Amino acid sequence: MKIEYVEMSPDEFDSKISKYQKELEVLFGEGDKLEQVIKSNLENIIFTQRG
């Protein structure tokens, strides 16, 4: 893996960090939704096996 260093202004840095934070918020939200779906599916499997 190669790390590339790029000169940027404080404003450019803040802009990139803000963009990454927004992307992470979206991904974490999707992760939360998927977690609920997985838990629900597991409960359905357990219920089906018992019934």
Side-chain angles (χ1 to χ4, degrees):
M1 184 165 132
K2 183 178 177 182
I3 297 175
E4 211 174 297
Y5 293 95
V6 178
E7 293 281 331
M8 65 177 73
S9 71
D11 287 339
E12 289 172 317
F13 178 80
D14 290 342
S15 175
K16 280 190 178 253
I17 293 298
S18 177
K19 177 184 167 193
Y20 293 141
Q21 285 176 325
K22 289 176 185 173
E23 288 177 11
L24 277 174
E25 287 176 16
V26 169
L27 292 172
F28 287 147
E30 290 174 2
D32 290 341
K33 289 176 189 174
L34 289 172
E35 180 182 0
Q36 294 305 315
V37 169
I38 291 168
K39 286 180 178 179
S40 176
N41 287 341
L42 285 174
E43 288 176 11
N44 289 337
I45 290 170
I46 292 169
F47 180 75
T48 302
Q49 288 181 348
R50 289 184 185 166

